[in-house]
Amino acid sequence: MQNTHILDELAGGLLDIVNFLNAPQRDEALLRAAGVQLDRALFPLLARLGMQGPLGVAELSEQVGRDYTTVSRQLARLESLGFVTRNPDIEDRRRSIAQITDEGGICFRAVREARRRALTQALADWTDDDRQSLTRLVRRFADALGELPLPENDQAG
């Protein structure tokens, strides 16, 4: 049987991390530290495209937890800034594929470097083994969460 106290501690720690990562002031500070002028609401889209490469709009909206219409509108703003291009999918012309541009890549890399500096500071007194263990375990946990089946939505009634 699982130790529920440990699971509650894990959930509490994860909520603290999510709150930290989702804090608008943190995103704004990270963008400032990177020297990037970008609406913070657009940053998660640019970050996903920078980390994962071209993505369909529907895929991207699912990954950032926003509806398709909002993501499409935000991608149009990124496109107008020259950070993203959208093109029809070669295999399915109804689908649109978003891809980061060279200029968008410069911004993404600047923010990534600012994030690395912040993480380096947060982990400064950790040993190399601790940092490696954390990285391995977080990746393992994220992969396990990704393999969980989606809850069934029972709409019978």
Side-chain angles (χ1 to χ4, degrees), residues 81-109:
L81 295 168
F83 293 164
V84 166
T85 60
R86 285 186 294 178
N87 297 299
D89 186 339
I90 294 169
E91 297 174 12
D92 182 352
R93 300 298 250 186
R94 296 169 299 176
R95 264 182 93 217
S96 179
I97 302 293
Q99 182 171 353
I100 197 167
T101 63
D102 290 343
E103 190 173 345
I106 291 168
C107 290
F108 166 72
R109 287 187 296 278

Side-chain angles (χ1 to χ4, degrees), residues 35-151:
V36 172
Q37 292 195 345
L38 180 68
D39 180 338
R40 69 170 188 78
L42 303 178
F43 173 65
L45 303 178
L46 190 67
R48 285 285 176 176
L49 293 171
M51 288 187 290
Q52 295 183 276
L55 289 169
V57 178
E59 247 182 312
L60 186 58
S61 63
E62 184 178 305
Q63 288 186 18
V64 297
R66 298 180 189 159
D67 65 80
Y68 182 93
T69 305
T70 300
V71 169
S72 187
R73 192 171 46 252
Q74 290 173 328
L75 283 172
R77 289 174 55 202
L78 285 168
E79 200 169 20
S80 73
L81 295 168
F83 293 164
V84 166
T85 60
R86 285 186 294 178
N87 297 299
D89 186 339
I90 294 169
E91 297 174 12
D92 182 352
R93 300 298 250 186
R94 296 169 299 176
R95 264 182 93 217
S96 179
I97 302 293
Q99 182 171 353
I100 197 167
T101 63
D102 290 343
E103 190 173 345
I106 291 168
C107 290
F108 166 72
R109 287 187 296 278
V111 173
R112 182 178 60 193
E113 286 305 314
R115 181 183 296 117
R116 285 176 178 169
R117 288 190 299 273
L119 289 172
T120 297
Q121 185 178 358
L123 299 171
D125 62 349
W126 290 43
T127 66
D128 282 343
D129 284 346
D130 285 346
R131 286 189 291 269
Q132 289 174 0
S133 292
L134 175 65
T135 301
R136 180 180 53 78
L137 292 171
V138 166
R139 179 74 267 155
R140 182 176 162 195
F141 185 57
D143 291 345
L145 289 175
E147 292 172 8
L148 289 176
L150 292 174

